[in-house]
Amino acid sequence: VCVRVCVASVPKASFLRAFCFKDPAHNNACCFQKMTATTELNRQAVSVTLTYFLLYTCFLLAQSATSHLLKAEMKKKNQKFVRYYSTEPAMLGMDRAVGNMMEQMPLFLVLFWLCVVFAPAQGSTVILAGYVYIAFRALYPIIWKLQNFRSFVGLSILVSTVPNYLCLVYFVYVLLTMP
């Protein structure tokens, strides 16, 4: 759905003049077409995206909190804690959770939004796959914690990563099979 935004005048030297058109219905004011996300699919897609960014923010906060807790713990033991060279298992776990999420973020967001834009007929399953992806992404640091923050978590981390990869494969499938 397009909405027109009209302004009474735009200076002749303004670059905006190249994007406006004179609208007789608005006394020849300079009008712009503004795209608005009004469909339910777009609202749900925005919700998935915001949920993803909320989880990302939670991971960053948990990473920072882990760093501060370890620093305080080391200070009590009269040991030095260097954040970026830490081999503490808890710090490695949160670093991997944040790092893995950042590694996968472009692929997830691009494929997800390509599906929303170009395959709206599959919208409900794409939205569901987006939430499934986020749910399994949220398990990543939990699995590290359950494994007592070992530097090598092993096959248990696949509980989080394999469903994520399957969601990404589903997005590619939707895009390749769209009419």
Side-chain angles (χ1 to χ4, degrees):
V1 174
C2 290
V3 174
R4 286 189 181 164
V5 177
C6 300
V7 292
S9 67
V10 174
K12 288 184 180 184
S14 173
F15 76 95
L16 291 174
R17 285 193 91 48
F19 301 101
C20 73
F21 63 93
K22 298 289 184 180
D23 187 359
H26 292 94
N27 294 329
N28 286 325
C30 185
C31 295
F32 304 90
Q33 295 291 93
K34 180 180 175 186
M35 295 301 295
T36 58
T38 59
T39 66
E40 184 61 26
L41 176 61
N42 287 342
R43 279 194 288 277
Q44 291 175 355
V46 167
S47 177
V48 168
T49 305
L50 292 176
T51 303
Y52 187 81
F53 286 132
L54 177 64
L55 179 64
Y56 177 61
T57 302
C58 289
F59 278 16
L60 291 175
L61 291 173
Q63 181 186 38
S64 180
T66 300
S67 174
H68 289 292
L69 290 171
L70 287 172
K71 186 176 182 178
E73 184 179 309
M74 294 296 199
K75 189 174 182 178
K76 287 180 184 177
K77 295 178 182 179
N78 289 327
Q79 295 176 344
K80 188 174 180 180
F81 176 73
V82 181
R83 159 69 185 94
Y84 297 103
Y85 301 105
S86 175
T87 57
E88 288 295 320
M91 195 74 250
L92 288 174
M94 283 314 305
D95 284 346
R96 280 310 311 138
V98 169
N100 191 269
M101 189 164 191
M102 288 179 63
E103 291 163 6
Q104 299 297 318
M105 188 182 299
L107 192 58
F108 168 71
L109 290 175
V110 168
L111 288 174
F112 174 75
W113 276 99
L114 284 173
C115 287
V116 169
V117 171
F118 294 110
Q122 301 297 324
S124 60
T125 55
V126 167
I127 297 299
L128 178 62
Y131 281 121
V132 167
Y133 184 94
I134 293 167
F136 280 98
R137 175 63 49 209
L139 290 177
Y140 197 96
I142 296 168
I143 293 169
W144 271 89
K145 174 73 174 157
L146 293 174
Q147 295 298 310
N148 295 319
F149 294 115
R150 287 186 226 141
S151 59
F152 177 73
V153 179
L155 295 177
S156 61
I157 203 68
L158 296 177
V159 170
S160 172
T161 57
V162 168
N164 285 162
Y165 293 133
L166 291 175
C167 289
L168 296 176
V169 168
Y170 171 72
F171 293 150
V172 171
Y173 171 77
V174 166
L175 291 168
L176 291 175
T177 60
M178 67 182 185

